[in-house]
Amino acid sequence: MIRKAVIPAAGFGTRVLPMTKAVPKEMLPIVDKPSIQYIVEECVKSGITDILIITTRGKEVIEDHFDKSPELERALDKPGKENLLEQVKGISDLANIYYLRQKEAKGLGHAILCAKEFTGNEPFMVLYPDDVIFGEKPVALQLIEAYNEFGKACVGIKTVAPEAISRYSSLKVENLKDNIYDVTDMIEKPAKGKEFSLYSILGRCLLTPDIYPILEETKPGAGGEIQLTDAMAVLAREGKMTGVDFIGKRYDMGNKLGVMMANIEQGVLHNEIGEDFKAYLKEFVKTL
Ligand code: UTP
């Protein structure tokens, strides 16, 4: 059973500047909810009860978002506001959320190492908050099911465009069954010709505690950062990793185009404004 999740949220978000100068990128909205709330909701729907968010200076607003808000709750406690009150109260009751500061941004691998005391001897889920994924079955749960079947660490994988692979990780894979693969090697940000395949890790990893001794030995890699991929590559080469070509619609909230795509596509589906927004968009596209 997977009870714990780690959400690394201590990056600078430079690709979404200037917005992210004072507002954490994890708080960028898709319509009316910050992206990190979708991530926490995915954990809850997948049976996870305890979540550690790795933060850094300037990210306190994330803690405020998941905290109780007595003044706001009092203000909403009147006829006609029941729905809003319920939504606001619901956010603070989602899960047990813990926070830890990564004191220096030394890379995603280092951020995960900070979670060692929290996860202890248990396998745990890592969700990258940039990757908001809408699926009928939450992607975290898709990975948990693969873990329950194969008993190995498991990464969420998807193919990326050939011209994009040098910005991602590249995986050596062999099909096991349906959309589940054995992952036997990987490389972060491969130089041209060094890629294993167009399969890359996107957004979700289920890790076993075996990762920690490896991370402790991992030297800074691509970009001078301690790369989680370099440590996961060791697990993969030891035959301890699978990958799930997950089913779901992913938005990359770590770049400006991804933020706009998420808001337009989810705006059209939104239960309050969807129909009006669709009508507006139809008129607007005629002017393009
Ligand atoms: P990214 O490299 O995509 O995030 O790291 P970033 O550094 O915030 O983005 P840019 O490139 O400057 O725009 C992937 C994930 O790892 C976290 C980030 O918050 C993001 O969720 N991370 C990265 C950490 O928690 N600590 C780090 O030292 C580095």
Side-chain angles (χ1 to χ4, degrees):
M1 209 170 100
I2 309 292
R3 298 185 307 123
K4 292 182 178 172
V6 179
I7 303 177
F12 289 121
T14 52
R15 284 166 297 156
V16 214
L17 279 168
M19 186 61 222
T20 44
K21 185 162 176 248
V23 176
K25 75 174 162 182
E26 297 75 19
M27 292 302 290
L28 290 178
I30 300 181
V31 189
D32 53 3
K33 256 194 235 179
S35 52
I36 196 160
Q37 189 179 332
Y38 292 95
I39 303 286
V40 168
E41 287 171 351
E42 179 181 332
C43 289
V44 175
K45 285 187 213 147
S46 304
I48 288 163
T49 53
D50 291 62
I51 301 169
L52 177 69
I53 303 181
I54 309 283
T55 67
T56 188
R57 288 172 290 284
K59 302 248 181 178
E60 298 78 9
V61 65
I62 298 177
E63 297 183 38
D64 293 341
H65 184 71
F66 292 106
D67 196 0
K68 280 227 163 292
S69 185
E71 299 81 7
L72 179 60
E73 286 175 24
R74 267 198 301 278
L76 292 174
D77 194 6
K78 47 174 82 109
K81 304 270 183 196
E82 294 84 358
N83 187 16
L84 278 176
L85 178 62
E86 208 171 300
Q87 279 190 45
V88 164
K89 279 184 163 171
I91 297 168
S92 55
D93 292 337
L94 278 169
N96 303 319
I97 304 183
Y98 305 85
Y99 301 89
L100 188 74
R101 282 193 178 194
Q102 184 188 15
K103 296 195 181 80
E104 277 178 274
K106 291 189 192 165
L108 178 57
H110 178 258
I112 299 307
L113 200 46
C114 296
K116 188 177 171 192
E117 288 295 315
F118 170 77
T119 60
N121 249 339
E122 296 178 40
F124 59 97
M125 186 68 62
V126 176
L127 301 97
Y128 305 0
D130 282 4
D131 289 305
V132 177
I133 311 172
F134 292 84
E136 236 165 75
K137 184 183 281 186
V139 175
L141 186 56
Q142 295 177 39
L143 267 59
I144 290 171
E145 288 179 352
Y147 172 79
N148 290 342
E149 185 169 354
F150 294 98
K152 296 182 183 182
C154 180
V155 286
I157 63 174
K158 279 272 160 219
T159 51
V160 303
E163 60 277 12
I165 192 73
S166 63
R167 288 185 278 119
Y168 289 82
S169 56
S170 168
L171 311 186
K172 196 170 176 183
V173 294
E174 248 170 69
N175 188 250
L176 276 171
K177 67 171 232 193
D178 308 326
N179 59 339
I180 305 183
Y181 293 78
D182 235 336
V183 179
T184 55
D185 208 346
M186 64 180 75
I187 179 170
E188 182 65 31
K189 300 190 175 47
K192 213 172 166 38
K194 293 277 178 206
E195 54 283 295
F196 291 116
S197 74
L198 293 179
Y199 266 115
S200 183
I201 299 172
L202 293 182
R204 307 287 179 267
C205 320
L206 193 166
L207 296 172
T208 56
D210 303 336
I211 198 73
Y212 290 120
I214 304 171
L215 270 175
E216 277 159 2
E217 296 295 314
T218 302
K219 302 270 172 303
E225 296 191 335
I226 298 178
Q227 295 287 351
L228 181 59
T229 310
D230 292 345
M232 289 197 293
V234 177
L235 278 190
R237 289 194 287 266
E238 288 174 353
K240 293 178 179 167
M241 182 164 285
T242 59
V244 173
D245 186 348
F246 59 79
I247 301 161
K249 172 75 193 163
R250 166 186 168 262
Y251 298 106
D252 182 356
M253 294 294 287
N255 77 70
K256 293 172 192 180
L257 185 59
V259 172
M260 294 311 297
M261 286 157 81
N263 275 284
I264 288 178
E265 291 184 19
Q266 292 302 313
V268 163
L269 299 174
H270 193 271
N271 58 3
E272 278 168 43
I273 60 150
E275 287 310 312
D276 289 348
F277 184 50
K278 205 189 295 179
Y280 157 76
L281 264 188
K282 280 186 179 159
E283 287 306 309
F284 180 64
V285 290
K286 290 181 193 161
T287 69
L288 298 178

